[in-house]
Amino acid sequence: GKAMLLCGTLYDTQNKNDDAMTAFNKALEIFRNISTGEELNVSLALSNIGIIHARKAEFQEAVDMYKQALEIRKMNEDSEYEVAGSLFNIGNILYQWNKDDEALLYFEESLELYQSFQDDEDLAIATCLFKIGSVHWRRKNLNKALRSYEESLRYCSHAEGDVDNLLMSVYKGLADCYFGKERYDKALDNYVECLKIQKVELGDDSTEIANTCHCIGLVYQKEKGYENAMNFHSKALEIFEGNCDEGTKDCSASDLEMARILLLTSQNEEALSRLKNHLSKYCNDDDMSEHVASVYELLGTTQRNLDQSNECIASLNKALEIRTKLFGGTSGQVANTLIELGLAMENASDGSDDAISLYDQAISMYQEIPDIDAAKVAGAYTRLANLLDEKGNHEASLQSLKKALKIYSDCNGIESVEVAKSLYRLGKAYDRLGNYEKSAACFTRTIKIFRTIDDDYGVYVSQALSFVGRNYARRKQFGKAVELCTESLKMQKELIGEVELVDIAHSLLNIGDIMNQWGKREQALQFYEEALNSYEEAVGFDSLDVAMCKYNIGVLKKSVGESETALKCFGEALKIHRTKEGDKSLNVATDLFQIARIYDSYGNRKKALACFEECYRIRSDVLDEDHLDVLAARRYVSTIRKKMKQ
């Protein structure tokens, strides 16, 4: 058996996967035929088989093998290190398989085990933290990714052994996070640290170095350091061309960024030459990709800057043709290209009417408005923005709102009602995109303008105040958040009639949530109870809003030890959810989960188990089997059953 393990390992080093698999399977068969004493060798064979499956992207088989190995190692008291390693490896396979939720659980369990060891496990801990950060990065949770990468870096700093390969990845992860958070100085620092190690470990001409140079170039572009950006993109392109075919995607990306920099620095002739060369070098006549459309759009912008109107229009029409085939005739991409064509027509002699026609075509994809003047264009942009927003195309909506705001500002003045309303809509768009700083700035200007006009726009002001308050809450500035949301609530109560009671209830609930986040449970409870009363008056005693309030009150009561009151609240919420949403609702499952935990705390395991089991059935029917809520319910069911057997 050991000989076959060794054979498998030797085949593995020679990348002979099939031969390695045969040898490891033979070893497994031999060890299993031995009655006792070879459990660890069985686990070793299973792990090696899992490695081969993972390499062949046979992820389910790989996970199955590793889980069998893990169970064996868990039964051996001297195998804690192997258990931690198996947990990590299962997490890694799940990560490759794009099962991030489940992978995260295994990485975290592995990390906890490594941290419990008394020996120096800094490198293993750092590796676990890096993988946890990578999961968060892929889920676009930049703050959690950043914290994990920073912790990984801290452990790397005093880990023994060769940590450079890990450090490269950690610095790259940190840089990507900072870039995503628009903290370009920090991004640059970390990309540079990554680059230093890459030069030592990988040599000066690796594609990894080219990728890092490309990223550094993008940082300098954001910071308007165009000379440095050009140098790094040029270096990236040189390395890519030395390692890849000249027509590859990586080469194309760097070359296009260099053209973009030339355009940004008003080197229009050079940009024109590079873009034309880019088309001949990286694109072909049959290529109908978004990349090619972007090249033609940049080319049209450059030609417009050079007053080459006919050429500009031809380039933008090519971009329009490609995007129409790719995205259809009613997409935001096509509308934006039509607007670019409108700009080109405005620069052409006697082209203003054609420009308005093109704008109308773009907007008529969403609302048909013939022969409109500038003010109506602004209104149409607003309607287009609303339509795009309803379709989920928030970025295109934002751009349309910006156009509308500019037109209204030019036509009606920056302190006009139309501008205030546009700013209000723009604030909501930024809020949905998660750009809370810009959202708050728009709402603040909205409030200022409306307050200088008259009191007829109190509803707008109250809602804008509420938005700004929630933005402060997101930044953990709870005092300011409560101040603004309370002012909003006061205005809404004064505007009763214009403002529905249910909207006042929403505001009360919102303040309760902020108080709860702030840790002020007593005040949160007061607002939740007032919201509950308002909801009951506005929409009845059995509405889902009432159930939400009862649930929130239950959570607060449970947190301060008032389990009986909490149990009653959860029970009432459960009754409403069953009536309104049916027995298979996730809200029903959530209520049952809370009720079960209270019964468990009482020692009433029979009732606890019944609730947990129903919760688990609902969640497993609705959610994926590796969803955290499913796993949590299953874990509690298993734990209660074990307690009852004992």
Side-chain angles (χ1 to χ4, degrees):
K2 291 179 179 178
M4 294 310 298
L5 279 178
L6 180 58
C7 285
T9 303
L10 291 171
Y11 283 131
D12 190 35
T13 60
Q14 298 172 5
N15 296 319
K16 296 180 178 179
N17 291 331
D18 292 339
D19 291 334
M21 180 72 83
T22 300
F24 289 137
N25 274 311
K26 184 63 177 176
L28 177 62
E29 178 186 353
I30 293 170
F31 288 132
R32 279 179 166 168
N33 285 333
I34 300 172
S35 57
T36 59
E38 297 301 328
E39 289 82 1
L40 292 182
N41 280 325
V42 170
S43 73
L44 183 59
L46 287 166
S47 297
N48 280 297
I49 293 169
I51 290 171
I52 302 298
H53 279 305
R55 193 174 296 142
K56 297 167 74 174
E58 298 167 354
F59 298 118
Q60 184 62 65
E61 294 84 350
V63 169
D64 290 343
M65 293 297 108
Y66 262 110
K67 284 185 175 180
Q68 291 181 52
L70 176 61
E71 291 306 311
I72 294 171
R73 289 170 177 175
K74 282 183 174 179
M75 291 187 289
N76 190 313
E77 294 181 356
D78 298 326
S79 299
E80 287 183 331
Y81 290 94
E82 288 79 4
V83 168
S86 293
L87 289 166
F88 177 85
N89 288 331
I90 293 172
N92 216 24
I93 294 167
L94 291 166
Y95 179 76
Q96 296 174 53
W97 198 3
N98 294 318
K99 291 184 174 290
D100 289 345
D101 290 342
E102 199 171 347
L104 187 60
L105 292 175
Y106 279 95
F107 286 139
E108 288 176 340
E109 191 175 352
S110 176
L111 172 64
E112 184 178 352
L113 199 52
Y114 277 125
Q115 289 175 327
S116 70
F117 298 152
Q118 294 182 353
D119 296 337
D120 184 4
E121 295 296 330
D122 289 338
L123 183 55
I125 291 171
T127 305
C128 286
L129 285 164
F130 168 73
K131 296 303 293 188
I132 290 170
S134 298
V135 172
H136 288 311
W137 164 256
R138 197 154 70 182
R139 297 161 101 183
K140 303 188 186 319
N141 193 325
L142 298 186
N143 290 329
K144 286 186 177 181
L146 195 58
R147 285 196 294 271
S148 296
Y149 288 143
E150 286 173 342
E151 274 290 285
S152 178
L153 183 61
R154 185 171 68 83
Y155 277 97
C156 282
S157 66
H158 44 80
E160 296 181 358
D162 184 7
V163 298
D164 284 342
N165 283 325
L166 177 59
L167 273 174
M168 280 189 291
S169 299
V170 173
Y171 280 126
K172 177 68 162 53
L174 284 166
D176 289 342
C177 285
Y178 282 123
F179 189 91
K181 292 171 71 68
E182 299 182 4
R183 296 180 62 182
Y184 300 121
D185 55 337
K186 289 281 192 180
L188 182 60
D189 290 343
N190 284 281
Y191 281 133
V192 169
E193 290 299 323
C194 174
L195 187 61
K196 288 178 182 177
I197 300 172
Q198 286 176 332
K199 286 184 175 180
V200 174
E201 295 294 315
L202 306 175
D204 289 333
D205 297 320
S206 69
T207 54
E208 291 83 357
I209 284 180
N211 277 312
T212 305
C213 287
H214 181 78
C215 290
I216 292 173
L218 293 175
V219 173
Y220 277 121
Q221 276 177 254
K222 294 291 186 181
E223 295 282 78
K224 299 184 179 180
Y226 296 125
E227 183 177 353
N228 285 329
M230 181 65 83
N231 289 336
F232 276 97
H233 283 308
S234 178
K235 180 63 176 176
L237 180 60
E238 178 186 343
I239 297 172
F240 280 134
E241 288 181 341
N243 285 275
C244 316
D245 293 334
E246 287 192 357
T248 61
K249 180 180 178 181
D250 290 327
C251 294
S252 175
S254 294
D255 187 74
L256 187 59
E257 290 306 321
M258 293 171 72
R260 198 186 305 276
I261 292 167
L262 291 169
L263 182 59
L264 289 168
T265 53
S266 300
Q267 300 179 65
N268 293 303
E269 292 286 358
E270 294 84 349
L272 181 65
S273 175
R274 189 164 206 103
L275 286 164
K276 287 182 175 180
N277 182 64
H278 186 98
L279 283 169
S280 64
K281 190 173 184 179
Y282 299 107
C283 311
N284 58 62
D285 293 338
D286 298 327
D287 192 346
M288 302 295 284
S289 67
E290 170 59 21
H291 173 79
V292 175
S294 297
V295 176
Y296 276 110
E297 185 178 19
L298 280 176
L299 184 60
T301 302
T302 305
Q303 290 163 333
R304 185 174 72 236
N305 292 344
L306 293 168
D307 294 324
Q308 298 177 2
S309 296
N310 292 335
E311 294 87 344
C312 167
I313 292 166
S315 296
L316 290 172
N317 272 320
K318 181 65 175 177
L320 179 63
E321 176 192 352
I322 294 171
R323 285 174 171 161
T324 300
K325 288 184 178 180
L326 284 174
F327 306 113
T330 58
S331 72
Q333 293 88 343
V334 171
N336 287 337
T337 310
L338 287 168
I339 291 168
E340 287 297 320
L341 272 169
L343 291 171
M345 289 296 187
E346 283 187 276
N347 288 343
S349 59
D350 300 323
S352 59
D353 290 339
D354 290 331
I356 292 174
S357 177
L358 284 164
Y359 293 143
D360 185 46
Q361 287 180 48
I363 297 166
S364 68
M365 291 178 182
Y366 307 96
Q367 291 191 334
E368 296 180 1
I369 305 175
D371 301 321
I372 50 177
D373 59 19
K376 290 183 178 179
V377 169
Y381 269 122
T382 302
R383 290 188 289 274
L384 170 60
N386 292 336
L387 179 59
L388 288 168
D389 184 65
E390 290 169 7
K391 290 163 65 88
N393 196 339
H394 302 309
E395 186 58 42
S397 171
L398 181 68
Q399 297 307 317
S400 294
L401 286 169
K402 286 181 177 178
K403 296 286 186 180
L405 175 62
K406 184 179 186 308
I407 295 169
Y408 278 132
S409 298
D410 292 343
C411 295
N412 303 90
I414 60 174
E415 302 295 327
S416 66
V417 170
E418 291 81 5
V419 165
K421 289 181 178 179
S422 290
L423 284 165
Y424 176 81
R425 297 186 186 100
L426 198 57
K428 291 176 71 175
Y430 275 125
D431 188 82
R432 277 186 285 273
L433 288 166
N435 193 332
Y436 302 122
E437 185 176 347
K438 288 188 176 181
S439 172
C442 289
F443 284 126
T444 301
R445 282 188 61 196
T446 297
I447 294 165
K448 180 180 178 182
I449 294 170
F450 277 132
R451 281 179 167 168
T452 60
I453 299 172
D454 53 42
D455 295 331
D456 291 341
Y457 300 99
V459 174
Y460 277 100
V461 173
S462 67
Q463 292 175 346
L465 284 167
S466 181
F467 272 104
V468 176
R470 290 200 291 272
N471 288 338
Y472 275 108
R474 292 184 181 103
R475 299 199 295 266
K476 311 299 183 186
Q477 295 176 252
F478 298 115
K480 188 66 175 177
V482 170
E483 175 188 342
L484 292 170
C485 288
T486 302
E487 183 180 358
S488 169
L489 176 63
K490 181 182 177 182
M491 291 186 67
Q492 287 180 320
K493 288 182 175 180
E494 292 172 351
L495 291 164
I496 193 71
E498 294 182 65
V499 176
E500 299 290 336
L501 181 58
V502 69
D503 293 322
I504 292 175
H506 291 333
S507 294
L508 289 164
L509 182 65
N510 177 48
I511 298 173
D513 289 339
I514 294 171
M515 288 292 191
N516 195 12
Q517 294 172 49
W518 198 2
K520 296 185 178 294
R521 294 174 179 172
E522 185 174 343
Q523 292 95 320
L525 184 60
Q526 291 173 358
F527 280 100
Y528 283 147
E529 289 174 342
E530 188 177 352
L532 175 61
N533 293 333
S534 297
Y535 279 129
E536 288 176 342
E537 182 180 347
V539 292
F541 291 85
D542 60 348
S543 73
L544 292 175
D545 291 320
V546 168
M548 183 191 304
C549 284
K550 287 181 178 292
Y551 179 86
N552 288 342
I553 292 169
V555 171
L556 283 177
K557 292 292 186 181
K558 180 172 173 284
S559 70
V560 296
E562 295 183 30
S563 298
E564 284 294 331
T565 305
L567 187 61
K568 181 182 177 183
C569 290
F570 292 136
E572 290 170 349
L574 174 63
K575 182 179 178 181
I576 295 171
H577 284 136
R578 285 193 191 278
T579 302
K580 294 292 185 179
E581 299 180 335
D583 291 333
K584 300 300 182 181
S585 158
L586 285 176
N587 283 324
V588 169
T590 302
D591 298 332
L592 287 165
F593 190 85
Q594 294 289 359
I595 292 169
R597 293 189 67 182
I598 293 176
Y599 280 135
D600 187 31
S601 71
Y602 289 167
N604 192 336
R605 291 171 181 165
K606 185 176 180 180
K607 286 188 175 181
L609 180 60
C611 291
F612 277 131
E613 284 179 336
E614 186 179 356
C615 170
Y616 173 67
R617 285 195 299 272
I618 295 169
R619 287 179 173 177
S620 59
D621 285 342
V622 177
L623 304 172
D624 293 336
E625 62 179 3
D626 58 350
H627 192 282
L628 290 177
D629 289 343
V630 175
L631 296 173
R634 184 166 61 200
R635 185 168 61 250
Y636 272 103
V637 169
S638 176
T639 301
I640 296 294
R641 285 175 178 170
K642 287 179 182 177
K643 287 179 180 179
M644 294 177 74
K645 287 181 180 179
Q646 292 170 356

